[in-house]
Amino acid sequence: MKIKKLTAMCATLAGLLLGSSAMAVVPATTSAATNNDQVTIYLTRHGETTGNVMQRVQGSSDFPLTKNGITVANDLGYGLKGIKFKHAYTGDLTRQEVTAKQALKYSANPNTKITTTPMLREGGYGSFEGDSIEADNQKIANVYGYQDGKQFQQATGKDYWNKLQDAYHKLDMDNSQNTKLAKSDRAESSAQVQKRMSSELLHIAKTTQKQGGGNVLVVSSGMSINEYLSTISKKYDGKPMQNAAVTKLVYKNGKLHVDGQIGSLHYVNKGKKLAANK
């Protein structure tokens, strides 16, 4: 009996001594589980359009993908195969939506829901929509006192895309094109583009995290992506964003951070090889 009582007392004492450390295990497990809600956004430019080929100012104008643009979107999909996308978001322009649909189809994510929003559109160019880019280059350069578009781009470096957007904005607000557009329909400033892109991407990241995290495909446009990235990454160097180029963003501590290369063609090139071998 004494042995049994002694054994019971030892067991009770051991339980009391271990109680606090045993309780501490539960929060640690819970905390570890929350680390699984990471959000990764694959921020992507649309495929080639008729406007790209004709060197036209696209902005909010709805130029469709070319045949080559469809192929590039398909290649992007093949390259993304193996990545499960919880959701997809695009601007509400045809070139953005179709790029997302083709990429999801060929990456084996055909049932992934696509949400469209004007917040992810290309920068708006108001009275300059549809213009020849070459014809507008001189006007844009003159805003800053440069001889031509080439000198303007070389001199401004990584600030080029923001200054380009702001030049369109200034010229349109001054009504240099002599149009009757309402103020709300005129060219956006870089600050306006950055604000809506940042707001929407943060909303997407937070929404996805609340849903348990995961991968999200976001398709937007070259100027708006460049203008946004210039505000969040020291890696940003202002290089042109190629069609279907991908920049991975990771949501951490309430902010989005660039993960890896800006404007990578890795997935397109990988998909092109896979498609060629089918």
Side-chain angles (χ1 to χ4, degrees):
M1 288 294 292
K2 290 183 179 180
I3 295 175
K4 288 184 178 180
K5 287 183 179 180
L6 182 61
T7 301
M9 288 175 64
C10 288
T12 302
L13 181 60
L16 291 170
L17 290 172
L18 292 172
S20 58
S21 60
M23 290 291 288
V25 173
V26 177
T29 303
T30 303
S31 176
T34 60
N35 290 332
N36 294 327
D37 61 359
Q38 178 174 300
V39 176
T40 302
I41 293 175
Y42 289 71
L43 181 58
T44 307
R45 187 191 175 196
H46 59 76
E48 180 191 81
T49 69
T50 55
N52 293 150
V53 175
M54 296 186 294
Q55 289 291 291
R56 295 286 171 178
V57 177
Q58 294 184 95
S60 297
S61 299
D62 209 7
F63 288 88
L65 294 186
T66 61
K67 183 178 179 180
N68 181 57
I70 294 287
T71 299
V72 170
N74 295 349
D75 289 341
L76 171 65
Y78 281 121
L80 291 169
K81 199 165 186 179
I83 299 171
K84 176 65 177 176
F85 289 106
K86 175 170 281 188
H87 206 118
Y89 295 82
T90 80
D92 59 353
L93 300 170
T94 299
R95 60 187 182 269
Q96 299 165 334
E97 292 183 60
V98 173
T99 298
K101 287 178 181 177
Q102 297 302 115
L104 290 171
K105 176 181 178 180
Y106 287 94
S107 64
N109 288 280
N111 297 319
T112 299
K113 182 181 177 182
I114 298 176
T115 297
T116 61
T117 168
M119 299 284 275
L120 294 171
R121 278 188 173 194
E122 177 64 294
Y125 302 113
S127 303
F128 294 88
E129 293 278 338
D131 273 11
S132 161
I133 292 175
E134 185 177 357
D136 285 348
N137 273 344
Q138 191 62 52
K139 300 174 189 177
I140 297 297
N142 289 344
V143 170
Y144 298 103
Y146 294 106
Q147 292 180 357
D148 53 38
K150 184 177 180 180
Q151 185 189 58
F152 166 44
Q153 186 167 11
Q154 290 177 340
T156 52
K158 67 180 182 179
D159 294 324
Y160 172 69
W161 304 105
N162 290 326
K163 288 186 174 293
L164 179 61
Q165 184 76 53
D166 287 335
Y168 276 119
H169 175 71
K170 182 182 187 308
L171 288 171
D172 208 17
M173 288 303 173
D174 292 343
N175 200 21
S176 68
Q177 299 288 82
N178 192 29
T179 68
K180 294 182 180 180
L181 274 182
K183 185 177 180 181
S184 59
D185 293 325
R186 292 186 181 271
E188 292 179 283
S189 67
S190 62
Q192 288 174 309
V193 176
Q194 291 162 0
K195 183 178 180 180
R196 63 173 168 81
M197 287 287 289
S198 178
S199 174
E200 186 63 19
L201 287 164
L202 278 174
H203 169 70
I204 291 169
K206 290 176 181 178
T207 299
T208 306
Q209 188 177 67
K210 287 178 181 178
Q211 295 171 347
N215 301 308
V216 183
L217 178 66
V218 174
V219 181
S220 184
S221 293
M223 282 278 287
S224 51
I225 291 174
N226 265 304
E227 290 170 53
Y228 165 72
L229 290 175
S230 72
T231 68
I232 70 162
S233 177
K234 293 181 179 179
K235 297 179 182 180
Y236 179 76
D237 58 11
K239 289 181 180 177
M241 194 66 56
Q242 301 299 312
N243 291 120
V246 176
T247 303
K248 287 174 66 176
L249 305 175
V250 172
Y251 184 59
K252 186 177 181 181
N253 299 325
K255 294 183 179 180
L256 283 163
H257 307 268
V258 172
D259 179 23
Q261 182 183 342
I262 287 177
S264 172
L265 291 176
H266 165 75
Y267 297 104
V268 172
N269 293 333
K270 176 184 175 184
K272 189 175 182 179
K273 291 180 181 177
L274 291 172
N277 294 326
K278 288 186 74 68

